Amino acid sequence: MNDGKLTDINPQNFTSDKQRDLYDYWLKIKKDHLMPSRKDFNPVDIPHILSSIWMADVIPGDEPTFSIRLLGTDVVEAFGVEATKQPLHEVEFSAGIVQRFRELIKVKQPYYYQGRFPVESEDYKYYSSITLPMSGDDEHVDIILSSVHCFN
């Protein structure tokens, strides 16, 4: 694995059951829409996944930006950062994430990513994420939901 690989969704490639479960849940709540909305998402439905997820709000503009809405405890622990309510671009290693999020806003489709762990760590060499769009109007992405798995 070099600098990272962005791929279409194939649950067989996921490195975590939590990612599979989140993707299945996202498909269930989106029903026949392009994307589910935040009101469709009920954390009570997926308590075993919550520690691995994070959410970002989309701030519209010529160059959309993102504000971290929530970080699961596993994400905070692995990356050593508690950035809830902070602009995503202020997180040291977020440039690639911001770029991928901007593309997701255009295509309105989930993606799967695997890459090198972006911070120095004795515990992890790699991480993967499934990243899913959400929309209040089924037209514009307003929240991005992701499940992260860190591994060696």
Side-chain angles (χ1 to χ4, degrees), residues 116-139:
R116 291 198 181 279
F117 198 69
V119 296
E120 187 140 340
S121 172
E122 294 179 12
D123 297 320
Y124 307 111
K125 290 183 182 176
Y126 306 103
Y127 81 106
S128 66
S129 64
I130 177 171
T131 304
L132 309 160
M134 299 176 79
S135 172
D137 64 6
D138 204 32
E139 187 176 333

Side-chain angles (χ1 to χ4, degrees), residues 63-86:
E63 282 283 307
T65 59
F66 309 94
S67 176
I68 299 170
R69 176 185 278 242
L70 129 89
L71 288 171
T73 54
D74 291 350
V75 179
V76 171
E77 184 177 316
F79 290 88
V81 62
E82 173 47 85
T84 301
K85 302 202 186 279
Q86 290 184 13

